[in-house]
């Protein structure tokens, strides 16, 4: 499966609507890692870089499982929907979020989010 592996975060951005500018939620140099294990286990950790006091958010992290709800090839991309089922999260309100996340894999690049109001860009490690 295209998601299995370790993914290093390159950027993490949000906006409230497509008319609004993108906000770098964890600053201009976010740190993060998402692990999708072949057994279905999931771990995600995201933090602002040390010393980046301007970042709107400092840290989120969660553990749980994942299920690929839908995936298909579109030209050179694999696009689909992955469900993140959280067992533990910080901050705890992440447990109330919807589990559905759009994704797109192109080679060793992963984008999670709808690309319109949420965009997390990662690269495969190893």
């Amino acid at each position: 499966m295209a998601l299995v592996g370790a993914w290093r975060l390159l950027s993490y951005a949000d906006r409230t609507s497509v008319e609004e500018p993108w906000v770098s939620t964890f600053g201009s140099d976010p740190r993060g890692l998402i692990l999708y294990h072949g057994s279905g286990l999931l771990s995600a950790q995201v933090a602002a870089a040390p010393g980046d006091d301007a970042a709107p958010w400092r840290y989120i992290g969660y553990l749980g499982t994942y299920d690929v709800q839908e995936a298909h090839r579109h030209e050179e991309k694999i696009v689909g929907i992955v469900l993140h089922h959280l067992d533990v999260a910080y901050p705890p309100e992440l447990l109330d979020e919807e589990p559905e996340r759009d994704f797109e894999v192109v080679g060793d690049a992963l984008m999670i989010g709808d690309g319109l109001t949420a965009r997390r860009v990662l690269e495969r490690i190893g």
Side-chain angles (χ1 to χ4, degrees):
M1 173 49 202
L3 288 179
V4 172
W7 299 87
R8 177 182 302 114
L9 184 68
L10 300 176
S11 67
Y12 191 115
D14 294 292
R15 59 185 177 180
T16 55
S17 72
V18 294
E19 292 82 26
E20 297 295 319
W22 287 101
V23 174
S24 296
T25 311
F26 291 89
S28 60
D29 187 24
R31 310 296 165 89
L33 183 68
I34 296 180
L35 302 173
Y36 289 104
H37 192 267
S39 66
L41 293 174
L42 162 71
S43 176
Q45 311 294 314
V46 178
D52 187 353
D53 297 328
W57 281 73
R58 302 300 310 156
Y59 173 80
I60 64 169
Y62 55 85
L63 302 169
T65 60
Y66 72 96
D67 293 304
V68 175
Q69 184 177 24
E70 170 186 324
H72 62 277
R73 184 168 294 282
H74 178 71
E75 298 172 2
E76 77 283 356
K77 304 179 213 179
I78 297 173
V79 296
I81 297 170
V82 61
L83 303 179
H84 286 191
H85 307 287
L86 310 187
D87 295 327
V88 177
Y90 182 85
E93 52 267 19
L94 290 176
L95 296 169
D96 297 329
E97 287 190 355
E98 290 294 319
E100 191 172 290
R101 285 144 173 88
D102 297 316
F103 74 88
E104 176 180 297
V105 177
V106 181
D108 287 334
L110 168 63
M111 195 273 294
I112 298 175
D114 61 13
L116 300 173
T117 58
R119 183 175 62 206
R120 291 82 172 101
V121 178
L122 304 104
E123 67 180 350
R124 189 182 303 274
I125 299 171

